[in-house]
Amino acid sequence: MTTYGSFPGTRPRRLRTSPVMRRMVAETRLHPADFILPAFVREGAAEPVPISAMPGVVQHTRDSLKKAAAEAAAAGVSGIMLFGVPEDAKKDGAGTAGTDPDGILQVALRDVRAEVGDDLLVMSDLCLDEFTDHGHCGVLDAQGRVDNDATLERYAEMAQVQADAGAHVVGPSGMMDGQIGVIRDALDQIGRDDVAILAYTAKYASAFYGPFREAVGSSLQGDRRTYQQDPANLRESMRELALDLEEGADMVMVKPAGPYLDVLAKVADAVDVPVVAYQISGEYSMIEAAAEKGWIDRDRAIIESLTGIRRAGARTVLTYWATEVAQKLSAAR
């Protein structure tokens, strides 16, 4: 740095002097198209059911889900990721409600496609955990362990049923070995090579999923550490990434987002496919709870958290604030 007397000759603060200056030199910008809205639909619900651990988020009825999808599309959000919440009586060991053409997730996919057509990417969570009575992401063997290859057969059927119901994109989230290849083959076998796969490539066994368990009415006992990744590992994510790309993933995801920005950055640097990050329930709930206490500025914290995720390398972010933020961004333009 060149100095003249006791004064600095270089003053980076000049580029921070006003809102318009800061806007002009911003390296990372948020846009409505950067977001995907995760949404829950509850079978048999007569009205939306608030999720106590996620203030402002509900388990939708079929009608309120259609309205939420239309609002997201109008706000310029890119997609909606649907999670089905079946009646408890319909859960079983194989998660058969997840592959029933008349199951709640498939019904919701048809509803939303009829509502928004191709104006919003309609995405479906491809996993069994919402539909199994044991709450795991796959079927269990005689010893009570998740059977990887038996689960792949269920995923193949699930992919085909979701594609038939109208999904533009399927999101396999179970972290089974070989799931992307099996799902790609299953879709291609029924002539649905147009359906994209968003691979949950690096999905960690995180404590931040807690509120989500309420959102989907999870029956889980125990944990998912035998198939979700150990939070201590990063190189393992790169191995998973290579396998998913080899098997035909169209997009890849890091989940959770905030606690794993280093993983997100490394994945983004390594690939030439779109990278997605999921700002999960615990991240949402912490900001909402702190804001409710008056400890932080809610709106600034939301934007800062999303900017950090985009800056780390995410092209697109799943966030429960998707529509709200998109509307505010559009209003500010």
Side-chain angles (χ1 to χ4, degrees):
M1 180 177 69
T2 303
T3 60
Y4 300 93
S6 59
F7 300 103
T10 303
R11 295 182 183 269
R13 286 183 55 190
R14 293 191 188 102
L15 300 183
R16 306 172 197 152
T17 52
S18 67
V20 69
M21 177 67 82
R22 293 191 295 273
R23 184 182 66 192
M24 186 185 74
V25 301
E27 298 172 29
T28 303
R29 302 178 191 275
L30 299 180
H31 185 277
D34 295 340
F35 304 121
I36 296 167
L37 176 68
F40 309 100
V41 57
R42 180 170 176 168
E43 187 171 21
E47 58 185 21
V49 179
I51 300 167
S52 63
M54 301 178 69
V57 180
V58 301
Q59 294 173 328
H60 284 286
T61 67
R62 289 175 61 186
D63 285 340
S64 69
L65 177 65
K66 289 188 289 185
K67 181 180 178 182
E71 288 177 348
V77 171
S78 283
I80 185 168
M81 176 69 77
L82 301 185
F83 297 85
V85 184
E87 296 174 346
D88 286 344
K90 294 186 179 179
K91 295 181 179 183
D92 59 24
T96 53
T99 50
D100 180 353
D102 295 319
I104 183 58
L105 182 53
Q106 283 66 252
V107 168
L109 286 167
R110 290 195 291 271
D111 284 346
V112 174
R113 275 302 299 270
E115 184 71 23
V116 301
D118 294 330
D119 292 340
L120 186 70
L121 286 173
V122 180
M123 305 177 170
S124 55
D125 178 57
L126 200 165
C127 196
L128 292 172
D129 59 319
E130 297 102 309
F131 306 102
T132 55
D133 54 11
H134 47 73
H136 279 288
C137 296
V139 296
L140 305 183
D141 63 17
Q143 288 74 46
R145 302 170 299 189
V146 175
D147 186 324
N148 190 95
D149 294 0
T151 298
L152 293 181
E153 295 181 10
R154 299 288 296 123
Y155 285 2
E157 183 181 356
M158 201 171 194
Q160 292 176 339
V161 171
Q162 290 180 354
D164 286 341
H168 293 105
V169 180
V170 295
S173 59
M175 291 298 290
M176 295 297 119
D177 293 340
Q179 63 184 14
I180 302 303
V182 166
I183 290 167
R184 184 72 270 159
D185 286 346
L187 291 169
D188 291 350
Q189 284 172 16
I190 62 169
R192 296 310 306 272
D193 57 353
D194 59 322
V195 175
I197 300 176
L198 168 56
Y200 284 58
T201 292
K203 183 178 179 181
Y204 285 87
S206 172
F208 293 93
Y209 297 136
F212 181 88
R213 305 274 162 81
E214 178 190 347
V216 296
S218 176
S219 303
L220 181 66
Q221 296 181 3
D223 59 52
R224 297 179 175 138
R225 296 183 186 183
T226 63
Y227 44 101
Q228 293 179 354
Q229 285 185 233
D230 187 333
N233 294 347
L234 189 154
R235 284 193 296 270
E236 184 179 5
S237 291
M238 304 311 291
R239 185 183 187 195
E240 293 279 6
L241 175 64
L243 290 168
D244 283 353
L245 293 175
E246 181 181 347
E247 291 173 23
D250 299 290
M251 298 172 277
V252 296
M253 182 193 290
V254 174
K255 179 180 180 180
Y260 297 90
L261 294 180
D262 60 325
V263 180
L264 175 58
K266 195 167 182 67
V267 168
D269 285 345
V271 301
D272 57 5
V273 300
V275 177
V276 180
Y278 197 148
Q279 186 182 51
I280 65 168
S281 59
E283 299 175 74
Y284 173 93
S285 296
M286 286 191 302
I287 289 177
E288 290 287 350
E292 184 180 356
K293 290 284 190 181
W295 294 339
I296 61 173
D297 181 317
R298 176 184 181 274
D299 290 353
R300 286 185 61 192
I302 291 170
I303 294 299
E304 186 175 340
S305 67
L306 291 169
T307 301
I309 295 166
R310 286 277 289 108
R311 188 184 62 244
R315 172 60 272 171
T316 309
V317 184
L318 277 85
T319 175
Y320 299 98
W321 292 301
T323 302
E324 175 187 343
V325 172
Q327 289 170 339
K328 289 178 178 177
L329 290 171
S330 295
R333 295 173 70 183

